[in-house]
Structures are given as structure tokens and as C-alpha cells.
Amino acid sequence: MALPGGSYTVDALNTEELQPRERADFWTEHIGEYQSRMGFRYARAENFRGRTVRQRTDTYQLVKYRSDRVEYSRTPHHVRQDPDEDYRLLLPLGGETVLRQGGEEARLTPGTGALVSFASPFQCLQSDAVDAFVLTVPAREVNGRLGCRAPVSAGLDLTRGLGRIVGGMLTALHEEREHLTDPEFDAVSDRVVELVCMLAAGDDRPDVPGQLGEVEAMVRRYVRDHVADPGLTGTTVARALGWSLRQIQLALQQAGTTPRELIREERLRLVRDRLLCAECEHQSITDLAYSAGFSSASALSTAFRRRYGVSPREMRQGPR
């Protein structure tokens, strides 16, 4: 069903509503639609049980599912036939999942997670009574932060620190699914991805003051808080935080971005959120451009189309 907020929708499926012999085919069809083409091998195809709850916008998709034992595989043929550059964040809540990709193997149980690239072949073997979250993450959100390094299928620790926060955020996102809008769902998903990339890069370790990890985190917070300032630059950020511009450049370079790119990305997200917000309908595109720190409406439109594939006006006129 569509909820207030435009492209944001929530839907559910349960194989137990079907005849036993139809369930495996039903699961193959719908999970393939959710997650791109894969192979399916069922332990009990004659009476497979599975259910999902899916939340999605044009940017992110979160699926919570529970199922009987099944093996998923994405072969080189699947990759060629149905290209998909995006990642999946897999967080088991029950059961065990064995994930193999790129010559590495990760054994995932509750309290661990992994980033999986659908651009490369993999195997995913799930035990009975697996309960898990799968968040679809656009490739640009991962590659930009990790310097275009495809994450290996290694377990992420979700029992403490940033990992535990990630698990809590996804649980809350699922529980509040009936009360969210496009910008709210995307904003929380953005923060989840940011934290996951910090975990994947090893930036969840406590840093000594002055080290690059701390500098990057402080810069991101400052830019987000001051993104509407038209005079915001790497130099002004450095001056405000008391670091050198070179320190900031090195910290962001380690994360695969630059001060200019970070500022532009946060400004575009601000405009996107306001375009999808009913309370901002009275603001013209020019007003939105200036209030987000852009020099003109044309500068905003050019950058916005390059980032999201549509103009600001087209996004506003589309479904909310």
C-alpha cells in the first residue's frame, strides 16, 4: 500500500496464504523482483514457508523476512543478464547465514552483518527459521565513502558501538513503517549507510583527538549543520573547527570524497527533502536554491539532475 509521502510504500507477502505446492515458485518470483535475478535452491520446495515486509522509496528498500532453509546464488550469468551495481546490507535477527563472495566466507548470526555487492557473483546459504533485514543501498552511497572499494563479505560487529546503533535504527525503521514519509525514510536510511560505511572502513574504533577519523566525523557534522550557508567552503569549515584545510582534505580523501563534494552532496539532499515535503510547496525552485547555498536556480538544476537523474521541478511534480 502507498502511504502519505509519495513513492514510499509498504507491502507484505506470506507464502502460507497459498497452496503448499505453489509456495516456492511464488517466493522465487517475488524475491527475484525485490532483489534482482538470482538462483534459488529449496530444502523443502513442496511446502516452503516464508514471509516478508517491504518498505521502499525510489532510493532505498528495506525488507524484513523470515523463511525456511534456502540457498540463494548470483552467478556470472545472472550478473550479465540482470546488472545491478547496488549493495545489500544483510543483518540476521535469527538463524544462521553463510555468505561467500570474492573468495571469502562469512558466517553470519544475530549480532553480525555484511555488505554484499550484487555486481559480483555470490552464494548465500540460509538455515531454517532465518529472520533478517536486507537494506538495498545505491552503489554511489557506498563507493563514494569507501573510495570505490567493494566491501568483502566479512561480518560487521553489531553488538556494540556504531554496529549496535545500526541494528537499532533498522528495527525502529521497520516498527514505524506505517508512519513514515519519503524524506523521513530516506533520511534515516542515509544515516544508516553512513554508519555502516564507517564500520566497513574500520572507523568505529575510538580515535585519538586529531586523527583523521575524528576530523572526518566532525567535518560531516559541521557541514550538515551549516549546509544552507552560501559561504560554506572547505576553508571556512577548517577555520571554524580549528584545523588546517590540509587536515580536512586528507580526512575526507580517506573517505573517498572532498570538501567540495561533501558540501554539494549535503546541499542536494537538503533540496531533495524539501521538494518532497508538503510544507515546502510554497517555496519556488529559486528560493530552494538560495536557501540551500546554491548560487542560482540553474546551478541547482544542473547539479540536481546529475545526482538524481531528474530536475528539481520534475521531482516536485512527481508522486509524493
Side-chain angles (χ1 to χ4, degrees), residues 13-15 18 22-31 42:
L13 65 85
N14 190 336
T15 63
L18 304 172
E22 300 173 348
R23 294 174 181 176
D25 289 341
F26 178 79
W27 189 261
T28 297
E29 177 183 350
H30 285 273
I31 298 304
Y42 298 95

Side-chain angles (χ1 to χ4, degrees), residues 236-303:
T236 61
V237 173
R239 186 180 302 121
L241 295 178
W243 287 308
S244 70
L245 177 59
R246 182 57 179 161
Q247 279 180 298
I248 287 179
Q249 289 171 332
L250 287 173
L252 294 181
Q253 180 182 358
Q254 180 176 264
T257 188
T258 67
R260 182 188 297 274
E261 290 171 353
L262 176 62
I263 292 169
R264 182 176 64 246
E265 179 69 15
E266 290 296 335
R267 284 175 172 164
L268 290 172
R269 286 182 180 174
L270 176 62
V271 172
R272 179 199 66 187
D273 291 350
R274 289 178 175 176
L275 287 169
L276 296 173
C277 176
E279 296 178 357
C280 298
E281 285 184 335
H282 65 282
Q283 291 186 278
S284 68
I285 301 300
T286 300
D287 290 339
L288 290 176
Y290 289 133
S291 66
F294 287 92
S295 59
S296 65
S298 62
L300 166 62
S301 295
T302 299

Side-chain angles (χ1 to χ4, degrees), residues 47-276:
N47 187 19
F48 177 80
R49 294 173 301 171
R51 61 177 183 264
T52 67
V53 176
R54 178 175 69 156
Q55 301 161 250
R56 68 180 296 270
T57 64
D58 292 336
T59 305
Y60 291 101
Q61 173 180 273
L62 177 64
V63 177
K64 185 178 187 295
Y65 71 96
R66 183 179 178 87
S67 79
D68 290 341
R69 182 185 299 271
V70 60
E71 176 184 337
Y72 302 97
S73 60
R74 188 157 161 85
T75 66
H77 177 70
H78 291 139
V79 172
R80 291 192 302 270
Q81 189 178 47
D82 188 13
D84 185 343
E85 296 296 321
D86 294 340
Y87 296 91
R88 305 304 191 273
L89 173 63
L90 176 61
L91 274 70
L93 303 174
E96 180 180 80
T97 297
V98 176
L99 187 61
R100 299 180 182 133
Q101 186 172 50
E104 297 193 22
E105 178 177 294
R107 191 170 297 273
L108 306 177
T109 55
T112 60
L115 270 175
V116 186
S117 171
F118 262 53
S120 302
F122 65 80
Q123 282 184 301
C124 184
L125 293 77
Q126 298 186 335
S127 68
D128 267 329
V130 159
D131 196 5
F133 283 120
V134 179
L135 179 68
T136 300
V137 182
R140 62 177 179 268
E141 301 292 344
V142 174
N143 293 341
R145 291 186 172 100
L146 297 182
C148 297
R149 300 190 304 272
V152 296
S153 301
L156 302 173
D157 183 2
L158 306 179
T159 62
R160 61 186 178 86
L162 294 182
R164 186 175 180 184
I165 292 172
V166 167
M169 291 176 73
L170 286 183
T171 298
L173 202 58
H174 170 74
E175 291 176 347
E176 295 299 317
R177 59 189 178 276
E178 307 291 345
H179 310 289
L180 299 172
T181 63
D182 279 46
E184 292 169 345
F185 181 78
D186 285 346
V188 175
S189 299
D190 283 341
R191 301 290 85 81
V192 168
V193 174
E194 183 176 344
L195 295 179
V196 168
C197 287
M198 291 174 68
L199 281 172
D203 289 340
D204 60 321
R205 298 181 301 271
D207 286 326
V208 175
Q211 288 189 346
L212 295 183
E214 179 180 323
V215 175
E216 179 203 346
M218 291 292 290
V219 169
R220 288 187 181 276
R221 283 195 293 271
Y222 185 88
V223 169
R224 192 169 298 129
D225 291 342
H226 298 83
V227 68
D229 179 0
L232 188 67
T233 65
T235 300
T236 61
V237 173
R239 186 180 302 121
L241 295 178
W243 287 308
S244 70
L245 177 59
R246 182 57 179 161
Q247 279 180 298
I248 287 179
Q249 289 171 332
L250 287 173
L252 294 181
Q253 180 182 358
Q254 180 176 264
T257 188
T258 67
R260 182 188 297 274
E261 290 171 353
L262 176 62
I263 292 169
R264 182 176 64 246
E265 179 69 15
E266 290 296 335
R267 284 175 172 164
L268 290 172
R269 286 182 180 174
L270 176 62
V271 172
R272 179 199 66 187
D273 291 350
R274 289 178 175 176
L275 287 169
L276 296 173

